[in-house]
């Protein structure tokens, strides 16, 4: 096994860092010792390095399972630019491109392979996998395996089969957001064997969290963006139509903006993403389809134009601000009408269990928006309560004061209770 002193030169050579971030070193040491690992690290906390660096220390292939096409491309591009032999296989590739990459894998030309779960679990692919000398199975976005997670994906449940197919390879499960219930689901459903479990602090002292009563949301957004003329940010919208509309209006008002959502052509999405990464577009107006795995360190603000469905998704989305450690802002526009809309979406679900979970998640989100105390502590308690330390008085003053003043403008009665009580009448007047 590589010692810490042997890992540091690789860390510097391939990634440009001279030291590890919190918990990275311990996680990597466990992996190199052949142990399974569960790692809950915040957005921007360096999850990817935990499987990328071990791949460079020994022969064989590290397989990274990810549902995110944008993440695969970004990470593989960055690795290859740094001299690491990495590739990906997903639906964005033409048939001849996939064949060429498969030949390279069979010829042991790559250290890392990124692949989507639905592609990985094809019978022919699984047969090939057993021939490829896999030294690590890294399951990214591992919360997707739990129905209590904010982004449940049924195809993740099939990944448990990998345990029997490749019994000698350690398995690593990584996520940036998971409650204790979701953590337990991940360990159980992936059949992790006596894993090392690591939960980092989720306190991001450089982020300021605000909630404002949603009145004229476009005008509020435009005023916020204009007050920060040289900064880039993300505006998260509930619907594709809203994302396109807000982007068009911002552009008409002199702010370089572009939309991003799953309904766009893949080429248009990729182009808008690249423009944003290169700072040629200052604001990206997006649905939740945007952002996971996107490495843009200088996002200075994240605006939630509409109420998120759950606190875990909200955490991941706000976590895309300030990844360079500099002060950044997170603004949530909050209204009773948004709660009514989310409640209506929940009532349209046909599965009673899904409804129950969605209602609980919405209640947590509304509680966060209405809470009169420090939102930093409330947010962290949903992810890593045991590791979270209450902010100092100075930190609370700088990070929470403005959040409390904006909350004072909100009605005192719970929006969630009000919307349930008013039912269809509220829907007809608020939506």
């Amino acid at each position: 096994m590589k010692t810490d002193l042997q890992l540091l030169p690789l860390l510097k050579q391939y990634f440009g860092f001279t030291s590890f971030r919190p918990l990275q070193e311990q996680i990597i040491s466990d992996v190199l010792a052949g142990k399974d690992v569960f790692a809950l690290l915040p957005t921007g906390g360096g999850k990817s390095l935990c499987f990328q660096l071990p791949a460079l220390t020994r022969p064989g292939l590290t397989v990274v399972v990810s549902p995110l096409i944008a993440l695969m491309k970004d990470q593989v591009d960055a690795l290859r630019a740094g001299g690491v032999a990495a590739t990906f296989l997903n639906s964005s590739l033409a048939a001849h491109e996939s064949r060429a990459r498969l030949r390279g894998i069979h010829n042991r030309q790559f250290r890392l392979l990124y692949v989507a779960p639905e592609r990985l679990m094809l019978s022919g692919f699984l047969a090939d996998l057993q021939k490829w000398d896999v030294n690590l199975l890294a399951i990214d976005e591992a919360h997707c395996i739990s129905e209590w997670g904010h982004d449940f994906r049924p195809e993740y449940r099939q990944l448990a089969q990998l345990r029997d197919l490749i019994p000698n390879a350690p398995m690593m499960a990584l996520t940036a957001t998971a409650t204790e219930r979701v953590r337990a689901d991940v360990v159980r459903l992936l059949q992790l064997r006596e894993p090392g479990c690591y939960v980092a602090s989720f306190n991001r002292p450089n982020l300021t969290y605000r909630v404002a009563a949603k009145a004229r949301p476009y005008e509020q957004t435009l005023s916020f963006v204009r007050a920060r003329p040289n900064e880039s940010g993300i505006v998260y919208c509930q619907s594709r139509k809203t994302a396109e509309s807000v982007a068009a209006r911002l552009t008409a008002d002199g702010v370089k903006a572009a939309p991003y959502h799953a309904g766009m052509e893949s080429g248009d999405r990729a182009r808008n993403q690249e423009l944003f990464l290169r700072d040629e577009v200052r604001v990206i107006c997006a649905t939740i389809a945007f952002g996971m795995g996107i490495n843009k360190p200088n996002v200075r603000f994240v605006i939630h134009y509409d109420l998120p469905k759950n606190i875990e998704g909200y955490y991941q989305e706000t976590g895309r601000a300030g990844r360079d450690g500099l002060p950044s802002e997170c603004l949530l526009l909050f209204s009773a009408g948004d709660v009514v809309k989310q409640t209506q979406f929940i009532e349209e679900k046909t599965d009673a269990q899904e409804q129950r979970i969605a209602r609980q998640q919405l209640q947590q989100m509304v509680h966060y928006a209405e809470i009169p105390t420090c939102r930093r502590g409330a947010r962290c308690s949903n992810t890593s309560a045991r590791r979270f330390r209450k902010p100092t008085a100075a930190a609370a003053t700088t990070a929470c004061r403005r959040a409390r003043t904006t909350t004072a403008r909100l009605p005192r009665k719970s929006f969630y209770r009000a919307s349930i009580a008013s039912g269809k009448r509220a829907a007809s007047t608020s939506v």
Side-chain angles (χ1 to χ4, degrees):
M1 185 180 72
K2 294 279 185 182
T3 66
D4 298 341
L5 291 178
Q6 290 173 311
L7 291 173
L8 288 174
L10 292 173
L11 183 68
K12 174 65 175 176
Q13 177 183 350
Y14 289 102
F15 302 99
F17 302 123
T18 56
S19 62
F20 289 102
R21 292 184 181 180
L23 299 183
Q24 285 180 327
E25 194 171 0
Q26 298 96 307
I27 292 169
I28 291 170
S29 295
D30 272 3
V31 168
L32 293 177
K35 286 189 63 176
D36 287 352
V37 170
F38 172 84
L40 175 58
L41 303 179
T43 300
K47 294 186 299 298
S48 302
L49 186 77
C50 295
F51 54 78
Q52 291 171 346
L53 188 58
L56 303 176
T57 67
R58 53 191 177 171
L61 181 69
T62 292
V63 177
V64 183
V65 182
S66 172
L68 308 170
I69 291 177
L71 177 144
M72 294 185 197
K73 182 181 184 304
D74 279 5
Q75 292 201 3
V76 168
D77 287 350
L79 287 166
R80 296 183 68 173
V84 178
T87 192
F88 65 83
L89 290 169
N90 61 38
S91 58
S92 70
L93 299 174
H96 70 277
E97 293 176 303
S98 293
R99 287 193 296 269
R101 296 183 185 208
L102 282 168
R103 282 195 300 271
I105 298 168
H106 281 295
N107 293 331
R108 306 291 195 266
Q109 295 175 4
F110 297 107
R111 293 289 192 96
L112 288 113
L113 167 65
Y114 287 74
V115 62
E118 55 271 21
R119 177 70 174 268
L120 175 67
M121 298 311 296
L122 294 175
S123 58
F125 201 94
L126 289 174
D128 284 338
L129 197 66
Q130 293 175 288
K131 306 172 186 176
W132 288 342
D133 188 23
V134 175
N135 58 29
L136 174 65
L137 290 162
I139 314 299
D140 202 9
E141 309 297 335
H143 59 270
C144 294
I145 201 171
S146 172
E147 65 181 347
W148 289 96
H150 72 281
D151 190 21
F152 173 55
R153 297 175 185 243
E155 61 269 22
Y156 260 64
R157 290 287 175 91
Q158 301 176 46
L159 297 176
Q161 299 175 37
L162 299 172
R163 184 90 277 177
D164 294 328
L165 289 170
I166 311 174
N168 296 324
M171 185 178 288
M172 172 189 288
L174 306 106
T175 179
T177 172
T179 61
E180 289 194 16
R181 173 177 250 162
V182 173
R183 295 177 219 170
D185 268 1
V186 170
V187 172
R188 176 177 59 85
L189 294 170
L190 286 177
Q191 301 175 30
L192 300 186
R193 299 175 296 212
E194 299 181 358
C197 294
Y198 297 92
V199 181
S201 170
F202 276 64
N203 184 24
R204 297 279 303 280
N206 63 312
L207 300 187
T208 297
Y209 300 92
R210 307 184 189 188
V211 176
K214 186 175 181 178
R216 302 172 65 192
Y218 175 73
E219 286 74 12
Q220 289 172 287
T221 300
L222 178 62
S223 175
F224 186 97
V225 173
R226 279 181 168 170
R228 296 151 183 82
N230 300 314
E231 298 176 354
S232 63
I234 305 170
V235 179
Y236 278 107
C237 306
Q238 178 67 32
S239 70
R240 300 171 181 180
K241 181 179 179 181
T242 303
E244 291 188 351
S245 171
V246 173
R249 293 181 71 180
L250 286 173
T251 300
D253 284 325
V255 177
K256 291 183 178 179
Y260 187 105
H261 58 74
M264 297 170 61
E265 294 292 332
S266 58
D268 293 336
R269 284 201 310 272
R271 182 178 63 253
N272 288 353
Q273 177 179 312
E274 288 297 324
L275 290 171
F276 182 62
L277 292 175
R278 296 198 303 264
D279 292 322
E280 294 179 33
V281 160
R282 192 157 75 85
V283 178
I284 200 86
C285 301
T287 62
I288 59 173
F290 179 79
M292 288 200 284
I294 302 302
N295 185 24
K296 181 175 172 63
N298 65 333
V299 173
R300 292 276 75 85
F301 60 84
V302 171
I303 300 173
H304 279 84
Y305 198 87
D306 302 299
L307 184 70
K309 294 186 294 185
N310 50 65
I311 198 76
E312 292 93 344
Y314 172 75
Y315 166 71
Q316 277 207 331
E317 289 151 17
T318 57
R320 284 154 202 153
R323 294 179 69 161
D324 54 7
L326 297 178
S328 303
E329 298 170 274
C330 307
L331 172 66
L332 167 62
L333 302 180
F334 180 51
S335 75
D338 282 350
V339 181
V340 172
K341 289 180 190 177
Q342 293 287 5
T343 303
Q344 289 176 324
F345 292 147
I346 292 170
E347 290 173 350
E348 291 172 1
K349 295 179 180 291
T350 56
D351 185 280
Q353 173 74 345
E354 288 185 13
Q355 279 196 358
R356 184 166 67 90
I357 293 171
R359 285 196 184 96
Q360 288 184 13
Q361 292 174 333
L362 179 59
Q363 284 176 323
Q364 290 174 346
M365 188 68 237
V366 173
H367 172 72
Y368 168 86
E370 293 183 325
I371 195 169
T373 56
C374 174
R375 289 198 175 85
R376 181 178 304 279
R379 181 186 59 77
C380 290
S381 67
N382 281 282
T383 50
S384 56
R386 289 176 294 183
R387 296 291 184 115
F388 172 70
R389 293 182 179 180
K390 186 177 180 180
T392 64
T397 299
T398 57
C400 302
R401 175 186 294 159
R402 283 174 287 186
R404 284 198 289 267
T405 58
T406 53
T407 304
R409 297 199 299 269
L410 298 174
R412 291 183 179 180
K413 187 176 181 181
S414 165
F415 281 157
Y416 184 80
R417 295 193 301 272
S419 65
I420 295 298
S422 56
K424 293 181 179 179
R425 180 183 59 80
S428 63
T429 58
S430 301
V431 177

